[in-house]
Short mmCIF file of all heavy atoms in Angstrom, two decimals:
data_model
loop_
_atom_site.label_atom_id
_atom_site.label_comp_id
_atom_site.label_asym_id
_atom_site.label_seq_id
_atom_site.Cartn_x
_atom_site.Cartn_y
_atom_site.Cartn_z
N ALA A 1 13.26 -26.35 -22.79
CA ALA A 1 12.00 -26.28 -22.05
C ALA A 1 11.70 -24.86 -21.60
O ALA A 1 10.56 -24.39 -21.66
CB ALA A 1 12.05 -27.21 -20.84
N ALA A 2 12.73 -24.13 -21.16
CA ALA A 2 12.53 -22.75 -20.74
C ALA A 2 12.14 -21.87 -21.91
O ALA A 2 11.33 -20.95 -21.78
CB ALA A 2 13.80 -22.22 -20.07
N ASP A 3 12.72 -22.14 -23.09
CA ASP A 3 12.33 -21.42 -24.31
C ASP A 3 10.85 -21.57 -24.57
O ASP A 3 10.17 -20.61 -24.95
CB ASP A 3 13.10 -21.96 -25.52
CG ASP A 3 14.49 -21.40 -25.64
OD1 ASP A 3 14.80 -20.37 -25.02
OD2 ASP A 3 15.30 -22.01 -26.38
N LYS A 4 10.35 -22.80 -24.40
CA LYS A 4 8.94 -23.06 -24.64
C LYS A 4 8.07 -22.19 -23.73
O LYS A 4 7.12 -21.54 -24.18
CB LYS A 4 8.64 -24.54 -24.42
CG LYS A 4 7.18 -24.93 -24.46
CD LYS A 4 6.54 -24.69 -25.82
CE LYS A 4 7.12 -25.64 -26.84
NZ LYS A 4 6.42 -25.49 -28.15
N TRP A 5 8.39 -22.18 -22.43
CA TRP A 5 7.59 -21.37 -21.51
C TRP A 5 7.83 -19.89 -21.69
O TRP A 5 6.90 -19.08 -21.60
CB TRP A 5 7.86 -21.80 -20.07
CG TRP A 5 7.16 -23.08 -19.73
CD1 TRP A 5 7.72 -24.26 -19.31
CD2 TRP A 5 5.75 -23.32 -19.80
NE1 TRP A 5 6.76 -25.21 -19.12
CE2 TRP A 5 5.53 -24.66 -19.41
CE3 TRP A 5 4.65 -22.54 -20.16
CZ2 TRP A 5 4.26 -25.24 -19.37
CZ3 TRP A 5 3.39 -23.10 -20.13
CH2 TRP A 5 3.20 -24.44 -19.73
N GLY A 6 9.06 -19.50 -22.00
CA GLY A 6 9.35 -18.09 -22.22
C GLY A 6 8.58 -17.52 -23.40
O GLY A 6 8.14 -16.38 -23.38
N ALA A 7 8.40 -18.34 -24.43
CA ALA A 7 7.67 -17.90 -25.62
C ALA A 7 6.16 -17.96 -25.44
O ALA A 7 5.42 -17.34 -26.19
CB ALA A 7 8.08 -18.77 -26.82
N THR A 8 5.70 -18.70 -24.44
CA THR A 8 4.27 -18.91 -24.24
C THR A 8 3.68 -17.93 -23.23
O THR A 8 2.55 -17.47 -23.38
CB THR A 8 4.01 -20.35 -23.77
OG1 THR A 8 4.56 -21.27 -24.72
CG2 THR A 8 2.52 -20.63 -23.63
N LEU A 9 4.46 -17.61 -22.19
CA LEU A 9 3.98 -16.76 -21.11
C LEU A 9 4.21 -15.28 -21.40
O LEU A 9 4.98 -14.92 -22.29
CB LEU A 9 4.69 -17.12 -19.81
CG LEU A 9 4.59 -18.58 -19.34
CD1 LEU A 9 5.50 -18.79 -18.15
CD2 LEU A 9 3.15 -18.93 -19.01
N THR A 10 3.55 -14.43 -20.62
CA THR A 10 3.79 -13.00 -20.65
C THR A 10 4.02 -12.51 -19.23
O THR A 10 3.20 -12.73 -18.35
CB THR A 10 2.58 -12.25 -21.25
OG1 THR A 10 2.35 -12.72 -22.58
CG2 THR A 10 2.84 -10.75 -21.28
N SER A 11 5.16 -11.88 -18.99
CA SER A 11 5.45 -11.30 -17.68
C SER A 11 6.54 -10.26 -17.84
O SER A 11 7.53 -10.47 -18.56
CB SER A 11 5.91 -12.37 -16.69
OG SER A 11 6.22 -11.79 -15.43
N SER A 12 6.37 -9.12 -17.19
CA SER A 12 7.39 -8.07 -17.21
C SER A 12 8.47 -8.31 -16.17
O SER A 12 9.47 -7.59 -16.14
CB SER A 12 6.73 -6.71 -16.98
OG SER A 12 6.12 -6.66 -15.69
N VAL A 13 8.26 -9.31 -15.31
CA VAL A 13 9.22 -9.64 -14.25
C VAL A 13 9.95 -10.93 -14.63
O VAL A 13 9.33 -11.90 -15.03
CB VAL A 13 8.52 -9.82 -12.89
CG1 VAL A 13 9.54 -10.11 -11.79
CG2 VAL A 13 7.71 -8.57 -12.55
N PHE A 14 11.26 -10.93 -14.50
CA PHE A 14 12.04 -12.13 -14.81
C PHE A 14 11.54 -13.31 -13.97
O PHE A 14 11.19 -13.16 -12.79
CB PHE A 14 13.52 -11.91 -14.50
CG PHE A 14 14.24 -11.00 -15.46
CD1 PHE A 14 13.57 -10.36 -16.50
CD2 PHE A 14 15.60 -10.78 -15.33
CE1 PHE A 14 14.23 -9.52 -17.38
CE2 PHE A 14 16.28 -9.93 -16.20
CZ PHE A 14 15.59 -9.31 -17.22
N ILE A 15 11.54 -14.50 -14.58
CA ILE A 15 11.19 -15.74 -13.89
C ILE A 15 12.50 -16.47 -13.61
O ILE A 15 13.22 -16.84 -14.54
CB ILE A 15 10.26 -16.61 -14.74
CG1 ILE A 15 8.96 -15.87 -15.05
CG2 ILE A 15 9.96 -17.94 -14.03
CD1 ILE A 15 8.10 -16.54 -16.11
N THR A 16 12.82 -16.69 -12.35
CA THR A 16 14.10 -17.30 -11.98
C THR A 16 13.88 -18.69 -11.41
O THR A 16 12.98 -18.91 -10.61
CB THR A 16 14.85 -16.44 -10.97
OG1 THR A 16 14.00 -16.17 -9.85
CG2 THR A 16 15.28 -15.12 -11.59
N ILE A 17 14.74 -19.62 -11.83
CA ILE A 17 14.60 -21.03 -11.45
C ILE A 17 15.91 -21.51 -10.83
O ILE A 17 16.97 -21.46 -11.47
CB ILE A 17 14.27 -21.90 -12.67
CG1 ILE A 17 13.02 -21.39 -13.37
CG2 ILE A 17 14.10 -23.36 -12.25
CD1 ILE A 17 12.81 -21.98 -14.76
N ASP A 18 15.85 -21.96 -9.60
CA ASP A 18 16.98 -22.60 -8.94
C ASP A 18 16.95 -24.08 -9.34
O ASP A 18 16.06 -24.82 -8.93
CB ASP A 18 16.83 -22.43 -7.43
CG ASP A 18 17.82 -23.26 -6.61
OD1 ASP A 18 18.77 -23.80 -7.21
OD2 ASP A 18 17.62 -23.40 -5.40
N ALA A 19 17.91 -24.50 -10.17
CA ALA A 19 17.87 -25.83 -10.77
C ALA A 19 19.09 -26.65 -10.41
O ALA A 19 20.20 -26.13 -10.29
CB ALA A 19 17.75 -25.71 -12.28
N GLY A 20 18.88 -27.95 -10.24
CA GLY A 20 20.00 -28.83 -9.96
C GLY A 20 19.62 -30.29 -9.99
O GLY A 20 18.44 -30.64 -10.12
N PHE A 21 20.62 -31.15 -9.88
CA PHE A 21 20.43 -32.60 -9.82
C PHE A 21 20.73 -33.08 -8.41
O PHE A 21 21.63 -32.58 -7.74
CB PHE A 21 21.36 -33.31 -10.81
CG PHE A 21 20.81 -33.40 -12.20
CD1 PHE A 21 20.83 -32.30 -13.05
CD2 PHE A 21 20.27 -34.59 -12.67
CE1 PHE A 21 20.32 -32.38 -14.33
CE2 PHE A 21 19.76 -34.69 -13.95
CZ PHE A 21 19.78 -33.58 -14.78
N THR A 22 19.96 -34.10 -7.98
CA THR A 22 20.17 -34.69 -6.67
C THR A 22 19.60 -36.10 -6.68
O THR A 22 18.96 -36.52 -7.65
CB THR A 22 19.49 -33.84 -5.57
OG1 THR A 22 19.91 -34.31 -4.29
CG2 THR A 22 17.97 -33.93 -5.67
N ALA A 23 19.84 -36.85 -5.63
CA ALA A 23 19.28 -38.20 -5.51
C ALA A 23 17.82 -38.08 -5.09
O ALA A 23 17.51 -37.46 -4.07
CB ALA A 23 20.06 -39.02 -4.49
N LEU A 24 16.92 -38.65 -5.88
CA LEU A 24 15.50 -38.68 -5.57
C LEU A 24 15.06 -40.13 -5.40
O LEU A 24 15.76 -41.06 -5.81
CB LEU A 24 14.69 -38.00 -6.67
CG LEU A 24 14.97 -36.51 -6.89
CD1 LEU A 24 14.19 -35.98 -8.08
CD2 LEU A 24 14.63 -35.70 -5.64
N SER A 25 13.91 -40.32 -4.82
CA SER A 25 13.41 -41.66 -4.51
C SER A 25 13.33 -42.54 -5.75
O SER A 25 12.84 -42.11 -6.80
CB SER A 25 12.03 -41.55 -3.87
OG SER A 25 11.46 -42.81 -3.65
#
């Protein structure tokens, strides 16, 4: 999924994502 957005967007600044799994409703 990140590859898809990385190839689609343009930005000179790194895009950082804090990712994890947790219990959701």
Side-chain angles (χ1 to χ4, degrees):
D3 279 343
K4 172 64 68 175
W5 284 120
T8 304
L9 303 172
T10 301
S11 178
S12 62
V13 182
F14 288 3
I15 300 168
T16 54
I17 305 166
D18 170 12
F21 275 77
T22 190
L24 297 175
S25 175

